[in-house]
Amino acid sequence: MKLVSINKEDFYAGAEKLYNSYKLYIPVKQEDNSYAFKNSDKIDINNLTFLNTRLSPKSLVFPQTEKMFSYTTDTNSEDCNIIKPINKENLKQAILGIRPCDSASFGIVEKNFDTEEYKDPFWINSYKATTFIGLACDNPDSTCFCTTANSGPFDEKGLDILLITSGDSFIGKILTKKGEEAAKIAGWTTEAPADSVSAIEKQKKEAESKISSSISTDKIKDKDTLELYNASFWEEEAFACINCGTCAYVCPTCWCFDIQDEISDKKGIRMRNWDSCMFPLFTLHGSGHNPRDLKYQRARQRFMHKLKYYQDKYQSGIQCVGCGRCIRLCPVNIDIRRICDIMNS
Amino acid sequence: MAEYISKIQEISKKILQDGKVDIVIGFSDGSLPMASRPCFIKSPEDTGKLIFDGNCGINLANYLTGKKEKIGIIAKGCDSRNIAQLIVENKIKREQLFIIGVPCFKMIDKRKTSLLFEEEITQVTESDDKIIVKGKNKEKTFNREDMLQENCITCMHRNPVIYDELAGELIKESDQKAEYEDVKKIEAMSSEDRWNHFSEMLSACVRCYACRDACPLCYCPTCFVDESSPQWVGKSADNQIDVKTFHILRAFHCAGRCTDCGACEKACPMGIKVRKFTRKLNSDAMRHYEWEAGLTTDKRPLLDNFRVNDYQDFIK
Amino acid sequence: MQNPYLPYPVRIDEIVTETEDKNLKTFKFVFINPKDEKKFSYKAGQFAELSVAGKGEIPIGIASSPTEKGFVKFTVNKMGLVTTHLHAMKKGDIIGIRGPLGNYYPWETLKGKNIVIVGGGFAFTTLRSSIIYMLEPSNRDKFKDINVVYGARVPGMLLYKDELSAWEKRDDINMHITVDATDDPNWKYNIGFVPTIVGEKLPEGNKDTYAVVCGPPAMIKFTQPVLDKLGYSHDNIIMSLENKMKCGIGMCGRCNIGEKFVCKDGPVFTLSQLNKMPKEY
């Protein structure tokens, strides 16, 4: 691990150089004051105090719609009806200014897409082609609970470089080979002063102390699955849920998808689209039977998956990084912290 | 406001105790400032959980469709109109309901407030004409009327149209006529400009369907966007035609039924002004038929009603 | 990296209409690239995604047995978009198959055991695969007594009729074919619901006897108490589940029952396992 000093000019020049070598994504302020990752090099230091982007950056690795295969149904073609791979070049891309919670989310999702038996080439190739240049978080929101959900405001998991704001310059923590390469391209090579380590440590402690919400999941792990599943609180807690896809779509760790064929003029593609366990269609059998027929059953699935099944399946933490997006954006104020508390009590 | 709450709690307690209803659907306190959570109360002892304030903009009629039990429900003007609409459309029976009418003091727009406050809001206190917003570092007082949901600004029906008991005095309704200035502005655009306007507006849509799912009118067991045989609408997020098809068709399905309660817009996580579509249809319903949805349970909905003196003769 | 979503192209070699309502057809597929057949090496109980260009994919149990070479067979119920299209296809048409997917009946455990097979309706497909597999001369000695209860609503709804009557004539397998009702005076097998026949005809349970049960939910629901009464332990009752699937490889997230995916950890579970899982199937 290496520490570099990056002053304002170096930072801007670096962004430009990164833009020329990678498909570079940066957080850009939108008209309504929300932030979104856009392919640009016009990064503005003054905007980097943003809490987080409205949507998580998962779409940069796992697009909401992704073409998988193509085919023709033209009977005159000798390839008629044969499903063929689309030759996709996985362009090197970099995400500059990703928050630590979001970069940590990829490690959680990786367990789903990169397994011993099967490898999802679309997700894995795209993930491998991405360099993550994170931005430590000094001003978390009251809905942030990262420190008790696999991450933290200065968490380094999944990052190649962590940038720490220091006045109007930055200290860069180069964490991986990929990070070294990116720092070299950006020209971020000035060694940071020796006292940076302790300064960062102090800043980190300060940021962590600002995280005012927390969750506990320790007891959920030891609870019997069926007991939790059959608990009487679900119907009441999930009553408000309108079963929209907001929580799943804004969540950095929700990965469920649908596969669809679309055809026009005998040329077809097979694609995958984000899907959500909140939608009745997600589990509806061809016979009309639906194992999760009721609204509360679908809401229960989402929380059980994130907080219980994931822990059990991978013998690891929960499937959540505490970014707080679902809390902030749920139209009916279903709060994962509250559900988690109830499940854990 | 405090009187409203105590009255709501009192009525709810009474109807639960008297066995008039099995549950009461209302709002409980939210976990965030400017948020409330729809809830149901089964026991008279729990009625203390019920609240009401300017953050109760979600339409509770949305929770009625298909319910079998006897229900007490808190209803603002728009909720009550949607309840009337659901009764006419046979989605719930009037006899099943005990409607606790709440003359509405108009709902606060959370997005507008956040945008103007510019830092995280940690606390909001409401009075009749002011809202005091607190953050970690500052405090600001706004005029309540500057912070209202857009649909509330033009609302003509703040009083519940049907109710069994009121939680407050009826309010004098606005005597302005609905002008639909916003609609006229869009109507005045060239068709190309209009197309671009809608394209840009919808480009942020992530197809989470929160607008549909928050809408009390959208109770179809299978929505046309979810239908697979035949598949009317493609499922990709890339194809903007499919995104537009969803929004525009959904609005048409609400023609003559929409009460402009604003739940769709409030629910949208991307802040898309989806009411622009339904407002156009409401404006047409008004212009051509002097029709506003959900004002009575005595009339059939506008579009399943044919009269021989219809001003157009295409159907004759 | 092998792409687990990419199907192998196959050609339809034969289509047999199985039932009188014409809703069930058995498709025999031949791999277009002979190498793919080797890669598609499966065990009885597994399934595959049948992949129709422009329509989508559908998970179907493999009806052929690993001992049958040169082709794979699937019996498909006409139900939704993909299956309706498949039913309209002809010999020589090309589709894709992706698999084999999921786990299989626990053949190692079943070695040296009495096997009881209980099937109903069109859920008999992987059971056919299993019977053919066990009756293969080189395999038959590996298993002790084999009993089969197979039922349908009426005689015309039974699958694989020729094979059923051939098995009926053998002495190394006890067939108990049944229908719910029939007015056919020549019907020479049982009349009665599957659970009833199970109670009447099947041997009592013991640690050396395993029941493999596959059928519609109602049949399963009423068969279980009968097996309980016969003394089958839940470790010895093996079931194959269905849930809505897309990816078939445990990634798309929809077919889970608790932490298990029906597509990857299943579709085969013992009843003891299912007892500990939410009833989301």
Side-chain angles (χ1 to χ4, degrees):
Chain A
M1 199 268 296
K2 210 173 114 187
L3 285 179
V4 292
S5 277
I6 307 163
N7 66 27
K8 201 170 161 181
E9 290 71 37
D10 290 344
F11 182 72
Y12 284 131
E16 212 179 304
K17 286 176 192 154
L18 288 169
Y19 182 79
N20 294 330
S21 299
Y22 297 84
K23 182 150 196 195
L24 181 70
Y25 290 93
I26 57 162
V28 175
K29 193 173 184 175
Q30 311 287 291
E31 246 173 62
D32 61 357
N33 281 4
S34 70
Y35 282 76
F37 280 105
K38 300 273 173 187
N39 177 216
S40 162
D41 64 342
K42 304 276 173 291
I43 196 154
D44 182 350
I45 284 191
N46 300 316
N47 281 345
L48 293 183
T49 53
F50 74 113
L51 174 69
N52 208 341
T53 49
R54 176 160 51 195
L55 296 176
S56 90
K58 76 172 165 188
S59 64
L60 300 178
V61 168
F62 176 44
Q64 183 165 5
T65 291
E66 182 165 29
K67 291 189 175 96
M68 304 169 87
F69 304 113
S70 66
Y71 45 79
T72 171
T73 53
D74 182 353
T75 43
N76 296 320
S77 160
E78 62 179 61
D79 286 340
C80 175
N81 288 343
I82 296 183
I83 316 263
K84 304 220 155 171
I86 295 171
N87 282 328
K88 239 201 289 196
E89 232 186 303
N90 277 97
L91 282 180
K92 272 203 324 186
Q93 60 175 2
I95 312 176
L96 173 60
I98 184 173
R99 291 296 185 193
C101 53
D102 286 338
S103 66
S105 73
F106 289 96
I108 289 172
V109 176
E110 188 175 26
K111 290 199 168 83
N112 182 63
F113 285 122
D114 190 349
T115 68
E116 210 181 294
E117 304 91 332
Y118 299 108
K119 311 262 174 221
D120 184 299
F122 306 102
W123 191 92
I124 293 172
N125 289 337
S126 178
Y127 183 53
K128 279 189 182 154
T130 310
T131 300
F132 296 89
I133 306 172
L135 185 63
C137 198
D138 291 310
N139 290 300
D141 195 294
S142 66
T143 48
C144 298
F145 56 101
C146 53
T147 44
T148 47
N150 299 302
S151 188
F154 278 56
D155 187 20
E156 295 167 7
K157 273 195 296 294
L159 284 176
D160 299 300
I161 300 176
L162 174 65
L163 300 176
I164 297 119
T165 314
S166 158
D168 64 355
S169 40
F170 301 90
I171 304 286
K173 238 182 174 180
I174 318 288
L175 301 162
T176 63
K177 267 245 152 61
K178 260 188 192 171
E180 269 170 42
E181 194 190 320
K184 208 168 133 198
I185 288 169
W188 297 337
T189 50
T190 314
E191 210 166 302
D195 61 354
S196 308
V197 178
S198 57
I200 293 172
E201 208 42 47
K202 190 166 160 261
Q203 205 172 327
K204 178 180 170 185
K205 287 262 146 58
E206 220 169 279
E208 283 172 353
S209 72
K210 285 186 194 162
I211 302 279
S212 56
S213 357
S214 64
I215 54 164
S216 306
T217 52
D218 51 325
K219 294 199 189 84
I220 296 178
K221 193 167 189 162
D222 300 328
K223 278 194 185 175
D224 178 56
T225 299
L226 280 182
E227 203 180 297
L228 261 180
Y229 177 89
N230 291 319
S232 57
F233 59 78
W234 288 113
E235 221 171 320
E236 197 177 324
E237 286 306 315
F239 170 77
C241 180
I242 57 172
N243 279 188
C244 70
T246 301
C247 50
Y249 285 6
V250 301
C251 175
T253 66
C254 271
W255 62 66
C256 289
F257 61 88
D258 184 21
I259 300 176
Q260 286 280 328
D261 279 40
E262 226 169 62
I263 196 158
S264 151
D265 216 10
K266 295 185 177 167
K267 285 196 189 78
I269 54 150
R270 180 160 295 164
M271 62 183 163
R272 71 162 164 210
N273 300 316
W274 290 355
D275 209 341
S276 165
C277 53
M278 291 293 160
F279 301 149
L281 240 62
F282 190 60
T283 48
L284 181 68
H285 289 200
S287 64
H289 167 67
N290 194 341
R292 295 199 275 267
D293 198 25
L294 302 173
K295 284 185 170 186
Y296 87 89
Q297 296 168 337
R298 299 194 280 274
R300 171 175 63 190
Q301 159 65 18
R302 181 157 192 277
F303 293 112
M304 284 293 280
H305 188 204
K306 289 204 160 309
L307 304 172
K308 174 65 176 163
Y309 304 154
Y310 189 92
Q311 288 206 68
D312 290 350
K313 189 169 194 90
Y314 301 109
Q315 291 303 309
S316 72
I318 54 172
Q319 185 203 342
C320 173
V321 289
C323 74
R325 286 186 179 89
C326 58
I327 304 172
R328 294 192 291 274
L329 290 169
C330 175
V332 290
N333 191 235
I334 292 185
D335 191 323
I336 190 169
R337 294 170 299 180
R338 176 188 163 98
I339 306 278
C340 192
D341 273 354
I342 296 172
M343 286 173 74
N344 203 53
S345 67
Chain B
M1 213 168 310
E3 305 90 83
Y4 268 47
I5 296 175
S6 57
K7 195 79 190 166
I8 286 171
Q9 294 179 353
E10 185 192 311
I11 301 170
S12 304
K13 192 171 193 167
K14 195 179 67 200
I15 56 177
L16 280 166
Q17 267 167 353
D18 297 350
K20 277 192 184 149
V21 297
D22 306 313
I23 59 168
V24 173
I25 296 178
F27 293 97
S28 61
D29 219 352
S31 65
L32 303 174
M34 315 194 76
S36 67
R37 192 163 54 97
C39 70
F40 68 88
I41 304 286
K42 271 186 172 158
S43 143
E45 287 83 65
D46 291 338
T47 45
K49 286 183 192 162
L50 292 168
I51 60 126
F52 194 83
D53 60 20
N55 306 306
C56 297
I58 283 293
N59 191 329
L60 292 183
N62 195 28
Y63 295 95
L64 288 180
T65 294
K67 289 271 189 316
K68 298 279 172 268
E69 57 268 64
K70 282 189 284 174
I71 300 168
I73 184 165
I74 318 298
K76 309 182 285 290
C78 49
D79 302 49
S80 78
R81 290 172 64 195
N82 277 102
I83 293 170
Q85 189 72 29
L86 288 174
I87 292 169
V88 172
E89 294 179 10
N90 295 321
K91 289 296 139 192
I92 192 91
K93 291 195 181 77
R94 180 65 181 95
E95 308 81 77
Q96 269 176 278
L97 300 176
F98 188 100
I99 302 169
I100 304 171
V102 183
C104 180
F105 38 77
K106 300 192 174 189
M107 295 294 131
I108 298 169
D109 190 328
K110 182 180 174 180
R111 262 188 214 107
K112 208 186 269 178
T113 315
S114 306
L115 201 64
L116 287 170
F117 195 66
E118 288 179 323
E119 71 167 65
E120 191 194 358
I121 294 170
T122 52
Q123 201 196 353
V124 173
T125 339
E126 275 183 72
S127 67
D128 288 348
D129 57 350
K130 297 269 185 273
I131 61 170
I132 303 158
V133 183
K134 280 187 190 149
K136 277 177 208 148
N137 309 308
K138 61 176 178 185
E139 183 180 315
K140 236 172 160 174
T141 304
F142 296 100
N143 283 329
R144 199 173 185 282
E145 62 173 39
D146 296 335
M147 292 296 142
L148 298 176
Q149 283 184 196
E150 275 175 35
N151 64 306
C152 297
I153 296 172
T154 51
C155 176
M156 316 283 290
H157 302 282
R158 296 160 66 190
N159 290 318
V161 296
I162 44 169
Y163 54 84
D164 295 291
E165 197 165 339
L166 284 174
E169 297 280 314
L170 291 175
I171 294 169
K172 186 178 176 303
E173 298 283 7
S174 158
D175 44 18
Q176 283 177 311
K177 262 193 78 182
E179 295 294 349
Y180 291 101
E181 292 301 337
D182 48 338
V183 175
K184 286 179 193 158
K185 231 196 234 163
I186 297 172
E187 283 171 342
M189 290 179 185
S190 70
S191 65
E192 195 191 340
D193 285 351
R194 196 155 53 227
W195 181 256
N196 293 338
H197 175 75
F198 289 141
S199 298
E200 197 184 324
M201 172 181 130
L202 294 176
S203 63
C205 177
V206 290
R207 301 188 76 168
C208 69
Y209 302 129
C211 49
R212 173 192 76 186
D213 297 333
C215 176
L217 303 174
C218 279
Y219 52 68
C220 290
T222 307
C223 177
F224 71 96
V225 271
D226 291 333
E227 202 63 77
S228 67
S229 38
Q231 188 167 329
W232 305 107
V233 189
K235 304 242 182 187
S236 88
D238 289 355
N239 189 333
Q240 288 299 314
I241 296 291
D242 290 328
V243 175
K244 286 195 194 80
T245 305
F246 162 64
H247 284 283
I248 293 171
L249 268 187
R250 191 188 88 82
F252 272 102
H253 283 182
C254 300
R257 304 166 65 222
C258 172
T259 62
D260 201 20
C261 72
C264 49
E265 212 160 277
K266 194 176 175 68
C268 176
M270 306 304 287
I272 300 171
K273 306 261 184 207
V274 284
R275 281 173 51 253
K276 281 189 183 172
F277 295 120
T278 46
R279 292 271 297 162
K280 160 70 177 157
L281 293 155
N282 289 358
S283 139
D284 284 354
M286 184 53 119
R287 193 182 311 170
H288 298 309
Y289 306 101
E290 285 180 20
W291 174 268
E292 288 179 284
L295 292 184
T296 163
T297 52
D298 300 335
K299 284 186 190 162
R300 295 299 308 160
L302 177 67
L303 293 182
D304 76 355
N305 184 4
F306 174 70
R307 273 169 285 170
V308 281
N309 61 349
D310 193 288
Y311 87 106
Q312 286 183 325
D313 57 6
F314 69 94
I315 204 164
K316 287 175 189 167
Chain C
M1 203 185 309
Q2 204 197 322
N3 190 330
Y5 299 102
L6 184 65
Y8 303 121
V10 293
R11 181 174 288 111
I12 302 176
D13 195 44
E14 188 187 43
I15 304 173
V16 176
T17 303
E18 295 280 356
T19 52
E20 63 185 17
D21 69 354
K22 298 191 169 56
N23 258 329
L24 282 136
K25 285 183 178 177
T26 298
F27 294 82
K28 190 171 167 188
F29 299 117
V30 175
F31 289 88
I32 288 178
N33 308 314
K35 273 189 197 152
D36 291 344
E37 189 184 342
K38 265 217 174 82
K39 288 193 238 163
F40 193 92
S41 142
Y42 62 95
K43 294 196 163 132
Q46 287 190 285
F47 72 97
E49 290 279 354
L50 302 188
S51 193
V52 179
K55 300 293 167 186
E57 299 187 313
I58 186 89
I60 307 273
I62 306 171
S64 52
S65 152
T67 52
E68 296 174 297
K69 298 293 179 196
F71 61 89
V72 281
K73 265 184 182 178
F74 294 84
T75 302
V76 179
N77 185 26
K78 191 165 136 189
M79 186 84 108
L81 186 73
V82 181
T83 52
T84 303
H85 189 81
L86 204 54
H87 268 243
M89 290 181 99
K90 298 182 300 293
K91 186 180 168 179
D93 285 349
I94 286 170
I95 71 153
I97 66 173
R98 191 155 71 76
L101 300 168
N103 66 357
Y104 38 83
Y105 298 121
W107 295 111
E108 280 307 308
T109 313
L110 297 178
K111 257 187 201 159
K113 305 295 192 317
N114 300 306
I115 311 294
V116 157
I117 283 184
V118 181
F122 52 81
F124 196 62
T125 58
T126 58
L127 298 179
R128 176 208 180 260
S129 169
S130 304
I131 293 169
I132 302 268
Y133 171 75
M134 290 188 291
L135 292 182
E136 174 75 15
S138 60
N139 286 340
R140 183 61 192 89
D141 291 349
K142 293 178 192 159
F143 306 95
K144 296 207 284 202
D145 293 352
I146 302 176
N147 275 278
V148 177
V149 176
Y150 173 40
R153 271 187 295 114
V154 290
M157 289 304 289
L158 288 163
L159 301 176
Y160 319 124
K161 289 179 201 71
D162 294 347
E163 285 169 334
L164 291 179
S165 47
W167 296 335
E168 185 66 46
K169 293 188 186 99
R170 293 173 70 134
D171 56 9
D172 57 352
I173 179 167
N174 304 314
M175 296 296 294
H176 312 283
I177 300 166
T178 185
V179 290
D180 296 352
T182 180
D183 49 14
D184 177 2
N186 297 321
W187 177 251
K188 49 188 178 187
Y189 308 118
N190 303 287
I191 295 178
F193 293 121
V194 167
T196 316
I197 307 300
V198 166
E200 286 170 12
K201 306 279 181 176
L202 289 188
E204 285 187 355
N206 59 43
K207 71 173 180 21
D208 283 334
T209 304
Y210 279 78
V212 181
V213 184
C214 237
M219 184 206 95
I220 289 178
K221 191 176 156 197
F222 293 109
T223 300
Q224 195 195 314
V226 181
L227 288 173
D228 284 347
K229 216 168 158 188
L230 285 172
Y232 284 77
S233 96
H234 289 187
D235 284 328
N236 287 27
I237 299 176
I238 294 154
M239 300 170 93
S240 183
L241 300 189
E242 280 182 16
N243 246 357
K244 168 104 162 184
M245 293 176 192
K246 286 281 179 172
C247 73
I249 55 175
M251 290 183 183
C252 78
R254 58 180 40 61
C255 71
N256 76 297
I257 303 176
E259 61 162 295
K260 302 278 187 229
F261 287 113
V262 173
C263 71
K264 188 177 164 187
D265 305 307
V268 177
F269 297 95
T270 67
L271 186 53
S272 311
Q273 285 174 312
L274 291 177
N275 290 340
K276 292 185 211 120
M277 290 153 67
K279 298 271 169 294
E280 283 193 342
Y281 45 88

